[in-house]
């Protein structure tokens, strides 16, 4: 065992075993480094411009040395500079030469800076920017330095390797606070502020002393920095989310991981599943599955919620029946039929012995066929016409879903409403019935219980006006009941092409975009205020790659899962993790 001398310094304890110095690079221990200094800057830069260099792959240390210039020295030197510029302008005028635009611009900038210095609105600083590039081999180092200089040149930054001064340059990039190169430029306060805070593609970490948040789920790994993307929807202004992606982008895989990890966090989840993609996950965690359209599975839309003692509970049922019948018919009935329907609903409940008295709400509820019979036995022609229009769902091909009392009482920490076995004509109505049952559960639930409602393939409901209105009301009211609505759709046109769809997006604090079709990218870019780079990323995104948008946070990430999670989310254990 090697013993350390008692008088050994810090460098001997933590420093490399050896440093080999060459004119253009250093060999530090087992690695190679080269230092590049920024020597020229464009006339204007944007906020966080070092991010162009920091986002490059590989290890790059960006070092900034700042030394304030005393006010008296700054004023004297600025006066001398203004005098030189003015003398050049006067000399050109005496010689009859045209004014030099660059000299005029420099003189105006100097005058403006002098004015701000005199008012105390700005200060001057000597600033040095150095880049220490690391690589495992000499060949990789040369390529990395070339990439760094090319990236800097793309934003009009001039860079120079510190040839023959690599050792002082390397020492200047270590956390000693010593600038041995002294390759500096004068910056004013505004120009220096563009480097702070150093831009980062990661989500902001907790401030010192705040501690680590207890909630949230893992969404994936940052594609730019390899950092962890950990997001807590329950800490946002509202708990809703929207996921837009074309078919095959991996959205269902991401949603299933979100559901599974939310269950870890004691969130109760209800899912509307149009393709039976969540059944394996539901069975694995001991959830409840209700397969609408399967033999013997019925839902009575006239049921009064058990345990609901609000005085307007029966009125709420009547209003929902108006919405359901409009979805069944594919349109809002004419005014005469709507008036007849409202009277028939009241008469049907009265015939079953149910009134506005909560004591009567425990009696068996009438069925949809009873409502149709009430409509058909009146003298109102509009009522009889509406009864005929309802016949396919009462005694025709679509009656099975409504032909009897409700057969299933959903309960549990995960409830999956499957609509795959429903015909296309009943798909929107089935989703609406499921949403209604979920909302009744959320509306009377304990506010201390967090609930997540996932509406997969929401385009089925959004293409219907009344269904879209119901979903919008649900998204608006969920926050007050500590619930969140996750809208997932592959048809961006249905969501973005209507005012209600735009309102659903506006009420989602968490927005996730995955691979998009070229035909929809322009509208998505305008709706979500995407940059040109973000739009290109969505067009070329691979499976599982996504862009998280939440307020000022914009993070690209790759979905990741453990082996067990992948087996549940993919549905088949040997599927590729990127499978949708």
């Amino acid at each position: 065992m090697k013993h350390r001398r008692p008088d050994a310094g810090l460098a001997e304890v933590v420093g490399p075993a050896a440093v080999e110095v060459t004119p253009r690079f250093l060999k530090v221990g087992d690695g190679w480094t080269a230092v590049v200094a920024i020597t020229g800057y464009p006339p204007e830069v944007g906020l966080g411009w070092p991010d162009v260099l920091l986002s490059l792959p590989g290890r790059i240390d960006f070092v900034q040395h700042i030394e304030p210039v005393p006010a008296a020295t700054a004023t004297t030197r600025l006066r001398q500079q203004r005098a030189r510029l003015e003398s050049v302008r006067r000399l050109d005028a005496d010689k009859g030469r045209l004014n030099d635009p660059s000299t005029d611009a420099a003189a105006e900038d100097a005058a403006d800076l002098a004015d701000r210095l005199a008012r105390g609105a700005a200060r001057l600083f000597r600033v040095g920017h150095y880049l220490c590039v690391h690589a495992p081999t000499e060949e990789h180092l040369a390529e990395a330095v070339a990439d760094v200089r090319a990236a800097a040149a793309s934003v009009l930054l001039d860079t120079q390797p510190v040839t023959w001064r690599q050792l002082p340059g390397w020492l200047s990039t270590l956390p000693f606070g010593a600038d041995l190169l002294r390759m500096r430029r004068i910056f004013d306060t505004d120009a220096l502020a563009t480097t702070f805070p150093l831009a980062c593609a990661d989500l902001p970490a907790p401030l010192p002393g705040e501690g680590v948040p207890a909630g949230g789920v893992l969404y994936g790994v940052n594609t730019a920095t390899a950092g962890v993307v950990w997001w807590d929807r329950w800490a946002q202004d509202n708990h809703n989310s929207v996921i837009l992606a074309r078919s095959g982008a991996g959205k269902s895989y991401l949603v299933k991981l979100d559901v599974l990890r939310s269950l870890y966090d004691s969130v109760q989840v209800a899912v509307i599943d149009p393709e039976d993609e969540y059944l394996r996950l539901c069975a694995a965690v001991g959830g409840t599955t209700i397969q609408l359209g399967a033999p013997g599975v019925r839902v009575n839309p006239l049921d009064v919620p058990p345990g609901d003692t609000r005085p307007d509970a029966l009125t709420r049922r009547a209003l929902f029946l108006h919405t359901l019948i409009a979805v069944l018919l594919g349109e809002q009935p004419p005014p005469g039929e709507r008036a007849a329907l409202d009277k028939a609903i009241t008469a049907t409940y009265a015939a079953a012995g149910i009134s506005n008295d909560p004591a009567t709400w425990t009696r068996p509820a009438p069925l949809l066929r009873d409502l149709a019979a009430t409509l058909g036995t009146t003298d109102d022609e509009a009522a009889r016409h509406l009864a005929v229009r309802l016949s396919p769902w009462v005694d025709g091909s679509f009656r099975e879903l409504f032909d009897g009392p409700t057969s299933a009482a959903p309960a549990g920490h995960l409830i999956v409403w499957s609509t795959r076995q429903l015909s296309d004509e009943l798909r929107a109505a089935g989703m609406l019935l499921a949403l209604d049952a979920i909302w009744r559960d959320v509306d009377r639930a304990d506010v201390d219980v967090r609930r997540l409602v996932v509406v997969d393939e929401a385009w089925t409901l959004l293409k219907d006006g009344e269904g879209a209105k119901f979903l919008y009301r649900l998204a608006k009211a969920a926050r007050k009941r500590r619930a969140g609505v996750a809208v997932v759709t592959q048809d961006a046109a249905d969501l973005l092409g209507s005012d209600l769809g735009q309102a659903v997006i506006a009420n989602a604090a968490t927005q996730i975009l995955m691979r998009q079709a070229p035909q929809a990218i322009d509208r998505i870019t305008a709706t979500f205020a995407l940059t040109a780079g973000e739009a290109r990323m969505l067009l070329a995104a691979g499976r599982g790659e996504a862009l998280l948008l939440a307020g000022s946070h914009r993070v690209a990430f790759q979905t990741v899962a453990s082996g067990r999670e992948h087996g549940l989310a993919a549905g088949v254990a040997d599927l590729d993790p990127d499978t949708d």
Side-chain angles (χ1 to χ4, degrees):
M1 179 178 179
K2 182 178 179 180
H3 296 280
R4 179 171 58 86
R5 300 196 317 271
D7 59 343
L10 179 63
E12 185 175 343
V13 177
V14 301
V19 177
E20 180 181 335
V21 182
T22 72
R24 298 182 181 275
F25 57 83
L26 301 177
K27 184 178 181 182
V28 182
D30 295 332
W32 303 75
T33 66
V35 178
V36 177
I38 300 178
T39 57
Y41 302 84
E44 294 183 3
V45 294
L47 292 175
W49 58 264
D51 184 48
V52 176
L53 304 173
L54 295 175
S55 61
L56 293 173
R59 178 186 169 190
I60 302 173
D61 298 332
F62 179 84
V63 180
Q64 185 171 226
H65 289 276
I66 303 171
E67 178 185 350
V69 178
T73 303
T75 302
T76 301
R77 294 189 176 182
L78 189 57
R79 186 184 304 114
Q80 295 172 352
Q81 179 67 12
R82 293 183 63 193
R84 284 194 293 268
L85 293 171
E86 187 62 29
S87 65
V88 171
R89 296 173 68 180
R90 292 186 179 183
L91 181 60
D92 289 342
D94 293 341
K95 299 292 186 180
R97 292 192 291 261
L98 295 176
N99 293 339
D100 184 356
S102 60
T103 302
D104 291 342
E108 292 175 3
D109 292 343
D112 177 67
L113 180 57
D115 181 67
R116 288 190 290 126
L117 285 175
R119 298 175 184 274
R123 295 187 61 184
L124 295 185
F125 303 85
R126 296 187 182 94
V127 182
H129 291 125
Y130 311 128
L131 298 165
C132 186
V133 184
H134 301 262
T137 65
E138 183 178 350
E139 292 76 13
H140 285 91
L141 179 63
E143 295 177 1
V145 170
D147 291 341
V148 168
R149 298 195 65 188
S154 68
V155 290
L156 304 181
L157 293 171
D158 295 331
T159 56
Q160 290 294 334
V162 291
T163 307
W164 297 104
R165 302 183 66 189
Q166 286 291 331
L167 182 58
W170 177 60
L171 294 175
S172 299
T173 63
L174 296 178
F176 297 151
D179 183 6
L180 304 182
L181 291 176
R182 306 292 297 181
M183 299 176 67
R184 300 187 176 186
R185 294 286 298 271
I186 296 295
F187 279 62
D188 65 359
T189 306
D190 292 342
L192 184 59
T194 60
T195 64
F196 291 96
L198 295 176
C200 180
D202 282 317
L203 291 172
L207 295 175
E210 286 188 353
V212 179
V217 298
L218 173 66
Y219 273 12
V221 175
N222 192 314
T223 56
T225 66
V228 173
V229 178
W230 187 275
W231 188 251
D232 186 5
R233 70 166 67 233
W234 308 101
Q236 309 310 312
D237 295 336
N238 63 66
H239 316 317
N240 301 331
S241 65
V242 60
I243 299 180
L244 292 180
R246 66 183 301 180
S247 179
K251 62 183 181 302
S252 296
Y253 189 88
L254 172 61
V255 174
K256 282 182 273 189
L257 291 178
D258 190 10
V259 168
L260 184 59
R261 292 163 182 172
S262 295
L263 293 174
Y264 298 157
D265 199 27
S266 302
V267 176
Q268 295 188 9
V269 183
V271 181
I272 297 180
D273 179 11
E275 296 295 337
D276 286 354
E277 295 182 281
Y278 298 81
L279 300 186
R280 179 186 176 94
L281 173 62
C282 186
V285 301
T288 302
T289 300
I290 301 175
Q291 292 185 293
L292 299 179
V297 177
R298 296 181 296 272
V299 178
N300 182 13
L302 282 79
D303 278 341
V304 181
D308 193 343
T309 58
R310 291 175 298 183
D312 62 343
L314 195 61
T315 303
R316 291 172 181 266
R317 281 290 84 202
L319 294 175
F320 173 72
L321 285 171
H322 279 276
T323 300
L324 175 64
I325 289 175
V327 172
L328 291 176
L329 300 178
E331 63 177 1
Q332 189 68 254
E337 293 185 6
R338 289 204 302 270
L341 175 62
D342 195 61
K343 294 178 183 178
I345 291 173
T346 303
T348 302
Y349 276 117
I354 298 175
S355 65
N356 287 325
D357 182 4
T360 65
W361 296 348
T362 57
R363 296 173 181 173
L367 303 176
L368 187 62
R369 63 168 175 258
D370 298 324
L371 176 61
T374 303
L375 288 168
T377 56
T378 65
D379 296 332
D380 189 345
E381 183 179 352
R384 293 197 301 270
H385 183 261
L386 181 59
V388 172
R389 296 180 68 186
L390 289 177
S391 60
W393 297 276
V394 174
D395 51 22
S397 304
F398 306 138
R399 71 180 184 276
E400 187 173 355
L401 181 62
F402 310 102
D403 194 21
T406 300
S407 60
H413 56 283
L414 174 60
I415 303 172
V416 175
W417 293 79
S418 170
T419 62
R420 182 175 184 178
Q421 299 189 46
L422 291 173
S423 61
D424 292 341
E425 292 79 4
L426 282 176
R427 188 69 61 89
M431 294 182 71
L432 184 62
L433 289 170
L435 275 176
D436 175 63
I438 293 170
W439 175 245
R440 283 185 287 170
D441 193 28
V442 169
D443 198 23
R444 65 175 184 270
D446 186 352
V447 294
D448 292 333
V449 178
R450 295 174 297 170
R451 294 174 180 266
L452 178 62
V453 181
V454 179
V455 186
D456 203 348
E457 302 298 352
W459 61 269
T460 304
L461 196 61
L462 289 170
K463 67 182 181 181
D464 182 272
E466 294 301 317
K469 290 179 182 178
F470 189 88
L471 184 61
Y472 169 67
R473 292 194 296 268
L474 179 62
K476 287 280 288 185
R479 182 186 62 83
K480 297 180 181 179
R481 293 157 179 82
R482 211 182 181 194
V485 179
V487 176
V488 186
T489 182
Q490 67 182 18
D491 197 335
D494 285 332
L495 190 62
L496 304 179
S498 66
D499 293 338
L500 287 174
Q502 294 279 359
V504 170
I505 293 176
N507 282 278
T510 303
Q511 302 166 351
I512 298 177
L513 303 177
M514 305 181 80
R515 187 170 69 235
Q516 301 295 327
Q519 296 82 357
I521 193 63
D522 290 339
R523 178 173 287 182
I524 289 175
T525 299
T527 301
F528 295 93
L530 301 180
T531 65
E534 290 169 342
R536 289 193 298 269
M537 175 261 175
L538 294 178
L539 288 173
R543 288 185 177 180
E545 293 183 0
L547 179 65
L548 170 65
L549 307 175
S552 59
H553 307 312
R554 311 172 82 87
V555 179
F557 67 91
Q558 171 69 53
T559 306
V560 294
S562 66
R564 178 58 174 161
E565 288 177 328
H566 168 58
L568 294 176
V572 180
D574 60 352
L575 286 180
D576 184 79
D578 292 335
T579 300
D580 186 12

